[in-house]
Amino acid sequence: MIAHFIPCRGGTFQIDRDVPLKIDARGGELAVLSGQVWLTRSRDPVDYVLAAGERVHVEPHRDVVVAAWDRSEWPTLAWHPDPAEGSRYFAVRDLRAEVLAAGLRGLASLAVAAAAVLRRGEAGFAALARSAASSASRAQGCI
C-alpha cells in the first residue's frame, strides 16, 4: 500500500514509517527535517537516501515516492512549492473552498429557518399547555 499526497501549498508533514508516500509534485523543493528517507523520482534511474538537513528539487509533473529509511523513525519533511506552480494550484483549492463555504452558508440559513419554525411551534405548544391546565383546573373545581 502506498499513501498519496498532492501538495497544494508549503508546509511540514510527517510520513508513516510503514507506508511509502507518493507525492504528485507540482514543482518545488522537498527537505528532510528529521530522520532519513529513501526517495525515488519518475524518470530518474538513481534512488536517494536523504538525511535531516538535505533537500531535493522536484520538477513539475514528476512523481516522487518517499519512505522511511529506518522503520523505527517517523521522518518529518517540508514541502516548499515553486511560487509559479503554487499559485496555479491555490486557485483550484480556493475554488473548492469557496464552493464548500457556499454550501455551508446555505446549510446555516436552513438551520436558522428551522429554528424560527421551532420557536413558533414552541409558543403554540405553550399556549395549548396553558389552555389545557386551565381546563383541568376548571374541571377539578366542578368535582
Side-chain angles (χ1 to χ4, degrees):
M1 176 175 88
I2 295 181
H4 199 84
F5 176 65
I6 301 173
C8 293
R9 67 166 73 174
T12 62
F13 58 96
Q14 196 169 39
I15 63 172
D16 188 325
R17 63 183 180 199
D18 296 321
V19 181
L21 180 68
K22 179 181 178 191
I23 301 173
D24 288 341
R26 305 298 187 220
E29 186 177 71
L30 189 65
V32 180
L33 301 179
S34 69
Q36 284 187 306
V37 296
W38 164 81
L39 180 139
T40 187
R41 296 185 286 193
S42 62
R43 300 185 312 270
D44 188 345
V46 178
D47 289 353
Y48 303 89
V49 176
L50 303 172
E54 294 183 304
R55 47 188 77 230
V56 64
H57 186 267
V58 179
E59 295 82 16
H61 311 293
R62 289 191 65 183
D63 293 338
V64 172
V65 175
V66 292
W69 181 253
D70 179 354
R71 294 186 73 169
S72 67
E73 295 180 336
W74 293 73
T76 302
L77 304 174
W79 174 253
H80 306 284
D82 287 340
E85 287 293 318
S87 63
R88 195 170 78 207
Y89 289 94
F90 280 131
V92 172
R93 186 189 59 79
D94 290 342
L95 177 61
R96 286 189 295 199
E98 287 176 30
V99 170
L100 178 62
L104 290 175
R105 280 192 297 274
L107 188 59
S109 297
L110 184 62
V112 167
V117 168
L118 290 173
R119 277 193 295 276
R120 283 194 296 271
E122 176 189 22
F125 283 123
L128 186 60
R130 284 190 301 275
S131 174
S134 175
S135 294
S137 177
R138 280 192 305 267
Q140 191 173 22
C142 293
I143 295 178

